[in-house]
Amino acid sequence: MDFTPSEEQSAAQGLAARIFGDLSTHERLAAAGTGTDAELWKELCAAGLPGAVEDIGLLGLVLLLEEQGRTTAQVPLAATCAYGLLAVAEHGTAEQRERLLPGLRDGTAVATGAFPARGGVHASGGALYGDMPWVPWLRDATQVLVADADRVLWIVGAGAPGVAVVPVETTAPWSAGRLVLDGVRGERLGDGPGPYAAVLALARTAFAGLQAGVCAGSLARAVHHTVTREQFGRPLSTNQGVLLRAADAHMDTESIRVTAYEAAWRRDRQLDYGAQALTAAWWASEAGKRVVHTGQHLHGGTGADLDHPVHRHFLWGRQLDAYLGCGSEVLEELGRLLARSESEGAA
């Protein structure tokens, strides 16, 4: 397998890096508080980056999300692409694609997903009842991809009758909200539970790519701090303990990145990637948690400053650690998948 980006993927990644680097600054993030940076989102959409994901695939999306994670840019790129653009493009009917995709491409529509399915939402007679305690970027969303207790997917308008959005603050500033459904009429996306498993694997891969960027940004800040900060007449980076912690964090970050790349590469080539998506999610949870703790620790007392940029990486890393399944939960699911595959192979 070859993870070398195509010319189109490299161009999109470079453009994303420039936009995020120029606009997702410490000052703008501080001004945004816990909400979305609406102007940055408009800039990304004007540049055509969300719409380009249909052409550059999941690997291309992972590359874009890495750049977002480096700066912890507060925009709903991962959710809109995973739960909107790619989900509808792959599982929607021709009519759904024609109606929904244009708005998702140009940013006039924002999607998110009530994932994973934990039994909180039930369908009865085509109407949905129940709630999800928190959904990322729900306060910005125009449509929500809801997974019911039977793992059937429904597209629900965020402003539809029977939908209530209650603002919720989470660890990371993701404009989250509690989704309450009381008899709302949704439209089916795909048939049966198959699309749910496909979208969940896609989302896990995408958010693992976001975690790779968060960790890379945290580590870059830690390296800069330890190289420029002196103690006892020499840079902190010359301390062997610092070097070892940074080296471990680098290896963890690369592990998240390469497993996300592999899962995305396999999906784009229409190969089975369920185990690879779970592997990427496990690394994103377990290793991501270690890296952002290291990044904060290597800043010493500065890392305890809630207003310091490295603290944002810590908050994002901890949120991504638990989102879509924490490490132990994902590992159990991976074990069941491997055991089932081995059993079916033996049969």
Side-chain angles (χ1 to χ4, degrees):
M1 61 188 69
D2 182 4
F3 303 148
T4 304
S6 66
E7 184 177 344
E8 293 78 9
Q9 289 169 337
S10 294
Q13 183 183 23
L15 179 58
R18 180 178 63 79
I19 294 174
F20 285 129
D22 289 346
L23 298 183
S24 186
T25 62
H26 174 61
E27 292 74 21
R28 286 178 66 97
L29 288 168
T34 61
T36 294
D37 187 333
E39 292 304 316
L40 175 54
W41 179 240
K42 289 180 182 178
E43 187 72 19
L44 288 171
C45 295
L49 287 176
V53 170
E54 291 176 271
D55 296 320
I56 62 178
L58 182 53
L59 180 56
L61 175 59
V62 166
L63 295 172
L64 299 185
L65 293 175
E66 271 195 84
E67 300 306 326
Q68 179 186 356
R70 290 179 198 275
T71 60
T72 59
Q74 292 171 201
V75 290
L77 180 61
T80 293
C81 292
Y83 301 124
L85 270 165
L86 294 180
V88 173
E90 183 173 355
H91 304 290
T93 64
E95 188 277 330
Q96 286 175 324
R97 293 195 296 270
E98 182 179 359
R99 172 166 48 89
L100 298 174
L101 288 179
L104 293 167
R105 291 176 185 137
D106 64 22
T108 55
V110 173
T112 189
F115 272 66
R118 299 191 185 278
V121 176
H122 301 269
S124 177
L128 299 173
Y129 299 86
D131 70 279
M132 283 287 288
W134 77 275
V135 177
W137 289 288
L138 181 61
R139 302 200 303 261
D140 299 323
T142 56
Q143 66 186 58
V144 187
L145 188 61
V146 178
D148 68 20
D150 295 321
R151 299 190 171 185
V152 174
L153 296 184
W154 303 83
I155 300 173
V156 173
V163 175
V165 175
V166 182
V168 171
E169 297 301 338
T170 56
T171 302
W174 287 1
S175 295
R178 178 188 175 201
L179 178 67
V180 182
L181 305 173
D182 185 13
V184 64
R185 311 298 296 190
E187 60 176 300
R188 289 278 295 271
L189 181 69
D191 296 317
Y196 168 79
V199 173
L200 180 58
L202 189 156
R204 280 173 165 160
T205 304
F207 280 94
L210 184 60
Q211 181 75 300
V214 169
C215 291
S218 175
L219 183 57
R221 292 187 183 279
V223 168
H224 179 266
H225 176 79
T226 56
V227 167
T228 57
R229 181 68 178 267
E230 291 191 357
Q231 190 176 60
F232 305 118
R234 62 177 188 173
L236 288 172
S237 60
T238 61
N239 184 294
Q240 187 178 39
V242 171
L243 290 171
L244 292 173
R245 287 292 301 274
D248 286 342
H250 171 73
M251 294 303 296
D252 273 339
T253 301
E254 290 302 299
S255 296
I256 302 170
R257 177 181 288 118
V258 73
T259 52
Y261 283 6
E262 181 183 7
W265 180 89
R266 290 182 64 88
R267 184 264 182 192
D268 290 343
R269 281 153 183 77
Q270 299 182 338
L271 301 172
D272 179 74
Y273 73 108
Q276 288 76 15
L278 286 166
T279 302
W282 183 84
W283 276 104
S285 176
E286 293 294 308
K289 180 168 51 183
R290 290 195 296 266
V291 173
V292 296
H293 274 265
T294 294
Q296 190 155 347
H297 186 195
L298 291 181
H299 277 77
T302 305
D305 183 357
L306 302 185
D307 295 322
H308 193 279
V310 77
H311 191 68
R312 292 195 188 94
H313 293 270
F314 176 78
L315 295 177
W316 279 63
R318 290 312 307 258
Q319 190 74 62
L320 286 164
D321 159 37
Y323 184 52
L324 298 179
C326 64
S328 57
E329 182 181 5
V330 169
L331 190 61
E332 180 184 6
E333 188 176 341
L334 177 59
R336 290 197 303 268
L337 175 63
L338 296 177
R340 187 167 58 250
S341 298
E342 184 176 343
S343 175
E344 292 172 354

